[in-house]
Amino acid sequence: MVDAVIVGSTGLDDIETPFGKVQSALGGAAIYASYAASFFCKPGIVSIAGKDFPKEHITLLKKRAIDTTGLTIAGKTFRWGGLYEYDMNEAKTLKTELNAMKEFNPAVPPSYRDTDYLFLANIDPALQLRALEQMRHPKFIVMDTMNFWIEHREEILRSVIKKVHALVINDGEARQLFKTTNLVTAASKALSLGPKFVIIKKGEHGALLFSDGIHFSAGGYPLENIKDPTGCGDSFGGGFIGYLAKTNDLSEQNVRKAIVYGSVIASFNAEDFSLKRLQSITGADIEARFKDFRAMREF
Ligand code: AMP
């Protein structure tokens, strides 16, 4: 049994930021999200990695008790290349090699199918849908996406949005998908498709929550040391669903707290390349930063 099922990409990333570069670094939405969720609950991943995927990465996931029964190994690993300039809120995609993800047919292991919490992290929305349909009666489904899928699969992406409880999307993508410059308009268009919650991530500036008649804004954490924002969206989503799965409380108050926990994990993630920083944090570090977030909002 797992507490949260996480569907998404597993990848090897080439990243360049003003603070350095890495090649073939561990990445992918399912990896960042499951690692983030593992601070709160037991996640299980549904993803695909190639035969070239280094074994040490799988050992790393197992060390955090992430269930990898749903990780298929076939073909060549998905590869992504991204460049960040001084505005680190936006990645320029230099390459997307789908490789094994092109033929991937996600099979949700029978031991995952009764799980209440499902995170459809960034992957082809057709695959998100196929995974969702194999779950028996998920109580809370969260989804993320990115510009690549908005450009290539908008219609099916909209049909997945209609089936989820929460849409997590970044500001630029919300504007692109809902064809508006205004985030409030984008959020209300997203809500009209069906999700109860829409969370718009604003990079280092935090995240906004919209629901029927409700608005909440979680600030960003004032980090002096940002090295690589890759995976911040995914670790936000993983922290968010991980906290909800741990507490099993879907009240608005708890959803707000989950957003802050997601922001805490994402802020740590930006402090180093790949999953390096997340590998060094403890539960005490998370709680200390959660308190800082709370103190920053008091006036
Ligand atoms: P984020 O910075 O949270 O938006 O996500 C970065 C991660 O998304 C990287 O580790 C990439 O491997 C992965 N990624 C990039 N492009 C795609 C794509 N088209 N589909 C799925 N995952 C992707």
Side-chain angles (χ1 to χ4, degrees):
M1 263 307 267
V2 296
D3 302 318
V5 174
I6 295 180
V7 184
S9 55
T10 292
L12 294 171
D13 295 341
D14 294 343
I15 310 287
E16 183 170 350
T17 81
F19 307 101
K21 58 182 185 179
V22 287
Q23 287 202 313
S24 294
L26 176 60
I31 301 298
Y32 280 107
S34 58
Y35 206 92
S38 75
F39 291 106
F40 305 102
C41 73
K42 182 170 177 61
I45 57 174
V46 176
S47 189
I48 187 163
K51 292 184 186 142
D52 55 337
F53 191 65
K55 300 256 173 326
E56 76 236 33
H57 296 335
I58 296 180
T59 309
L60 181 71
L61 303 179
K62 289 197 168 145
K63 257 208 226 148
R64 287 235 37 105
I66 296 166
D67 191 306
T68 56
T69 317
L71 180 66
T72 303
I73 307 285
K76 223 178 134 207
T77 306
F78 165 72
R79 284 179 178 263
W80 180 70
L83 168 74
Y84 299 84
E85 290 171 316
Y86 275 95
D87 178 1
M88 304 251 277
N89 285 318
E90 210 189 321
K92 284 202 177 74
T93 292
L94 300 182
K95 67 168 184 194
T96 300
E97 295 171 8
L98 293 175
N99 298 331
M101 251 170 61
K102 245 190 302 190
E103 274 93 52
F104 182 42
N105 189 8
V108 178
S111 58
Y112 290 9
R113 292 195 188 152
D114 284 313
T115 307
D116 283 339
Y117 291 84
L118 172 65
F119 181 33
L120 302 171
N122 186 19
I123 201 170
D124 184 335
L127 303 184
Q128 291 179 316
L129 188 60
R130 246 181 268 161
L132 189 160
E133 284 169 351
Q134 294 168 57
M135 299 294 291
R136 291 218 177 82
H137 34 68
K139 184 168 160 185
F140 199 69
I141 309 169
V142 181
M143 77 175 283
D144 191 1
T145 191
M146 75 177 291
N147 50 5
F148 187 85
W149 304 117
I150 298 173
E151 281 150 31
H152 295 89
R153 297 262 197 283
E154 182 175 339
E155 206 181 323
I156 187 151
L157 176 64
R158 283 178 180 271
S159 71
V160 186
I161 296 174
K162 289 183 185 159
K163 295 179 187 290
V164 304
H165 302 96
L167 170 68
V168 177
I169 190 166
N170 79 27
D171 48 355
E173 289 153 8
R175 290 189 179 100
Q176 183 186 4
L177 179 57
F178 297 105
K179 297 171 184 63
T180 170
T181 54
N182 186 305
L183 291 181
V184 179
T185 307
S188 67
K189 285 187 173 182
L191 287 171
S192 72
L193 291 178
K196 179 158 195 264
F197 300 105
V198 172
I199 297 163
I200 299 187
K201 299 170 287 182
K202 298 181 70 206
E204 64 183 316
H205 305 299
L208 305 173
L209 168 70
F210 296 88
S211 186
D212 190 20
I214 291 166
H215 176 67
F216 171 66
S217 156
Y221 189 78
L223 281 179
E224 248 184 271
N225 172 33
I226 301 186
K227 274 197 185 157
D228 174 20
T230 307
C232 281
D234 310 315
S235 44
F236 171 88
F240 174 72
I241 197 135
Y243 183 74
L244 290 175
K246 171 187 170 178
T247 51
N248 195 20
D249 170 0
L250 294 170
S251 65
E252 184 210 325
Q253 190 62 29
N254 205 51
V255 168
R256 290 180 182 223
K257 266 177 128 180
I259 288 175
V260 176
Y261 275 110
S263 306
V264 166
I265 307 289
S267 73
F268 280 118
N269 179 62
E271 290 177 349
D272 210 336
F273 283 90
S274 187
L275 281 93
K276 262 208 204 139
R277 183 69 177 113
L278 294 188
Q279 286 175 61
S280 69
I281 60 170
T282 63
D285 295 327
I286 294 170
E287 287 312 314
R289 194 164 283 184
F290 182 85
K291 275 201 192 110
D292 288 349
F293 262 88
R294 179 162 271 160
M296 273 175 350
R297 301 189 54 77
E298 274 170 21
F299 59 89

